[in-house]
Each structure stands twice: as C-alpha cells, then as structure tokens.
Amino acid sequence: MNLDALREATRSQMPEKRWKHTLGVVETAIALANRYGGDPAKAELGALLHDYSKAWAIDRMEAIIREHGLHGELLIHDKELWHAHVGAWAVQSEHGVTDVEVLDAIRYHTSGRENMTKLDKIVCLADYIEPGRDYPGVSKIRELAEHSMEKALVRAFDSTIEVLMERGKRIFPLTVLARNDLIIQYK
Ligand code: DGI
Ligand code: FE
Ligand code: FE
Ligand code: FE
C-alpha cells in the first residue's frame, strides 16, 4: 500500500485532533531522523502509524490482545498502553506493513523498552515533543532533544512515571527498563 493510501486509512481511524497530533509527530520524527542520522522514510512511516489504533474501542483492543497473544502482561497494565501493541498488529495485518523496525517502533512508542533502536527513540520522542504537545516540562524535554535523544527520553519517561505515581497507578516494567538502559547510553 502506498503512503497516500496509508495516510487516508490512518486518518479515517481517528478524530481530527488525533490526526493533527499525528502530523506533528511525523514532522518531528523526520527532523529527529535528520538530526541524529536516522532513516527519515522509516521515521515518517512509524510516526504516521504510531497511533493507528488509539481511538479504537477498549473491547476491540482487548479481544485482539487475547486472540493474537500480544504481550501477555499488557492486560493487567494501563489500557493507555494497549493501542501501541494493537496498532503494530493492525498495520501489519490490515495494511501489510512488514518492516520489523517500523512495527517495533509503533509497538514500543508508549512504553519504550530495553535496547531501544534509533527508530524506537525517534518515534517515542517525537510523540512526546511534537509542536501540539503541552504539559509541564515539555520545553525542557524539547531542549534536551536538541543534543541527546537519550537524555530527552529519560526526562520524558520520568514525567510519565511521576504522573503515574501521583495517581497511584502501576508502571509497566518496560518503561523502567527503558529508562535505566537509556541512562547507561548517555555520552
Ligand atoms: O498515544 P499518545 O497519547 O500520543 O501518547 P502515548 O502513546 O505515549 O501514551 C501516553 C499515555 O500512556 C500516558 O497517558 C501515560 C500512559 N501510560 C500508562 N502506563 C504507562 C504509560 N506510559 C508509559 N510510558 N509507561 C507506563 O507504564
Ligand atoms: Fe500513542
Ligand atoms: Fe509516547
Ligand atoms: Fe501519539
């Protein structure tokens, strides 16, 4: 499927506000790829598709996670995490996206993971800092992203973890692994 068709298919999955966010992530992901020696075409595709299933009904996502055995632990953690794994499955099965790097970047864009690839970092960080984002600390994360994706991502995960802790929520273990591993990678 060509990029224009994928664009329309993605747009049709979500309300206008989410589509605007998606376009912001695309623009930011391409800029990060150019700055950090990533592949801009893969960055664009991963960013375009990263929230493909974000607006899907919870029941639909749960059924897919069960039926296709996506990440076993997912169901006992925050539902906000589900769309990333379901989205990777959906674009592969519904649109024939086969690039494992792109699929992984979609799958781990919310939680991160240990040994994040450059593309994982690009999509995850672009999601946190696209121009439409506005939350406490976002300007500091944007500043860090000028020089280090690792430092920016640690700050970003820290802000997510803080919010989860304030709300008494569970923390998905991959986020903790991602954070610890990114700190080792500081240069
Ligand atoms: O889909 P978006 O809203 O663009 O952004 P996202 O995919 O990064 O989702 C962010 C939400 O996921 C945010 O509200 C926090 C929530 N979340 C819940 N549990 C966890 C988590 N995020 C991370 N990184 N780790 C968790 O354990
Ligand atoms: Fe998302
Ligand atoms: Fe994210
Ligand atoms: Fe997003």
Side-chain angles (χ1 to χ4, degrees):
M1 189 179 250
N2 67 37
L3 200 57
D4 280 334
L6 272 180
R7 228 175 246 126
E8 282 320 301
T10 303
R11 185 175 192 166
S12 74
Q13 305 302 312
M14 54 187 65
E16 196 57 25
K17 190 164 175 250
R18 179 61 46 181
W19 176 242
K20 280 223 174 74
H21 159 69
T22 296
L23 293 178
V25 178
V26 167
E27 172 195 324
T28 306
I30 292 171
L32 287 172
N34 288 330
R35 184 177 305 148
Y36 289 104
D39 180 332
K42 290 192 187 209
E44 177 171 19
L45 187 59
L48 173 69
L49 301 173
H50 86 284
D51 274 342
Y52 185 86
S53 298
K54 178 79 177 185
W56 287 15
I58 293 298
D59 291 355
R60 182 179 180 190
M61 290 197 280
E62 183 174 345
I64 290 169
I65 291 166
R66 286 188 196 285
E67 189 175 337
H68 301 282
L70 310 187
H71 206 295
E73 291 275 278
L74 218 46
L75 292 170
I76 61 165
H77 289 279
D78 201 314
K79 295 176 175 58
E80 289 289 333
L81 294 157
W82 297 2
H83 73 282
H85 293 255
V86 172
W89 174 86
V91 300
Q92 181 173 25
S93 61
E94 295 183 0
H95 297 295
V97 175
T98 53
D99 188 321
V100 173
E101 270 188 273
V102 171
L103 294 172
D104 278 345
I106 298 166
R107 185 174 291 118
Y108 299 106
H109 85 264
T110 305
S111 61
R113 60 169 166 167
E114 212 168 3
N115 295 125
M116 289 177 78
T117 65
K118 193 177 279 185
L119 191 65
D120 288 353
K121 293 174 186 174
I122 287 169
V123 174
C124 186
L125 182 55
D127 191 24
Y128 271 107
I129 63 171
E130 61 93 0
R133 287 289 202 204
D134 185 16
Y135 54 88
V138 69
S139 55
K140 180 67 190 175
I141 297 168
R142 288 193 179 112
E143 207 178 293
L144 290 169
E146 304 274 331
H147 303 288
S148 166
M149 289 206 286
E150 291 74 24
K151 287 182 182 169
L153 276 170
V154 168
R155 184 65 76 106
F157 285 137
D158 283 354
S159 76
T160 297
I161 291 167
E162 277 171 20
V163 171
L164 292 170
M165 287 179 66
E166 270 164 25
R167 295 180 185 165
K169 291 200 170 183
R170 315 183 76 210
I171 297 164
F172 194 49
L174 285 187
T175 301
V176 178
L177 292 173
R179 178 183 183 277
N180 288 346
D181 187 50
L182 288 162
I183 290 175
I184 294 174
Q185 294 180 40
Y186 284 175
K187 287 174 205 87

